[in-house]
């Protein structure tokens, strides 16, 4: 039973470029959340997708956008990359259920994005 | 704006119990208390969660204060593999991680 998988594992971009990160949720999960983790900090919530719609959003600019597909996989897109976007980007999946906050999140090992 | 407060770091000896504290004085009635840990170069790993009652699983125990304003993650017998950053978070709608507690295990 595969857990959460993310691709690519590492990526190098330059300022102003655009990037797409991908996530496949754990089998049976229907909700995907994205996080940004700067070095030495805890993960920061970007947004959450359920039923192909963005349900919750953290304090991130519109340059950060996402998508969820019918098979529950998800993409994170970042436009006009800045040096400060260099971070580990984590995807987590969960089963929404009747009480979403009662559901554990399962994380992938992330995509390390470096901006030059 | 993390809703929880944890010590920056803690040390424990191998094969001894570890009690990791977390304060969440502004917790609301519908917030679940979740604990995750993160090993170097890995994503966070779910440890345990609860609402009001104490919880046990194969990894750890979670003790929740009666007023729910604090909780303690208990590792019953620490091993070197338990060295990680431990995050205590409250989940209602948005999920907000703090900086966590870096746990060092001494052999």
């Amino acid at each position: 039973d595969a857990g959460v998988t993310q691709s690519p594992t590492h990526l190098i971009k330059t300022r102003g470029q655009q990037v797409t990160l991908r996530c496949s949720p754990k089998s049976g999960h229907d909700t995907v959340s994205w996080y940004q983790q700067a070095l030495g900090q805890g993960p920061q919530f970007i947004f959450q997708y359920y039923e192909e719609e963005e349900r919750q959003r953290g304090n991130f600019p519109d340059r950060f956008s996402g998508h969820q597909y019918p098979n529950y996989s998800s993409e994170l897109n970042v436009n006009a990359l800045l040096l400060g976007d260099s971070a580990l980007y984590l995807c987590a999946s969960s089963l929404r259920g009747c009480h979403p906050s009662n559901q554990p999140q399962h994380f992938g090992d992330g995509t390390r994005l470096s901006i030059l | 704006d993390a809703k929880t407060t944890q010590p920056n770091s803690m040390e424990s000896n191998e094969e001894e119990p570890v009690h990791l504290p977390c304060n969440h004085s502004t917790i609301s009635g519908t917030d679940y208390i979740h604990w995750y840990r993160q090993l170097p170069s890995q994503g966070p790993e779910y440890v345990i969660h609860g609402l009001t009652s104490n919880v046990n699983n194969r990894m750890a125990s979670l003790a929740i204060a009666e007023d729910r304003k604090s909780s303690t993650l208990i590792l019953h017998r620490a091993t070197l593999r338990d060295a990680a950053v431990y995050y205590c978070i409250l989940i209602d709608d948005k999920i907000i991680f703090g900086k966590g507690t870096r746990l060092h295990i001494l052999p």
Side-chain angles (χ1 to χ4, degrees), chain B residues 64-82:
Chain B
I64 301 173
E66 196 169 335
D67 63 5
R68 299 207 331 121
K69 293 185 176 182
S70 66
S71 61
T72 302
L73 177 70
I74 302 165
L75 307 179
H76 295 286
R77 194 163 173 266
T79 69
L80 295 177
R81 290 177 298 177
D82 292 321

Side-chain angles (χ1 to χ4, degrees), chain A residues 13-20 61-65 77-86 89 113 115:
Chain A
K13 291 285 189 178
T14 57
R15 283 179 296 175
Q17 284 188 312
Q18 177 265 343
V19 69
T20 297
D62 292 344
R63 297 187 298 110
F64 291 77
S65 63
N77 301 293
V78 187
N79 294 322
L81 286 166
L82 304 173
L83 292 178
D85 295 331
S86 294
Y89 288 85
L113 176 63
I115 310 301

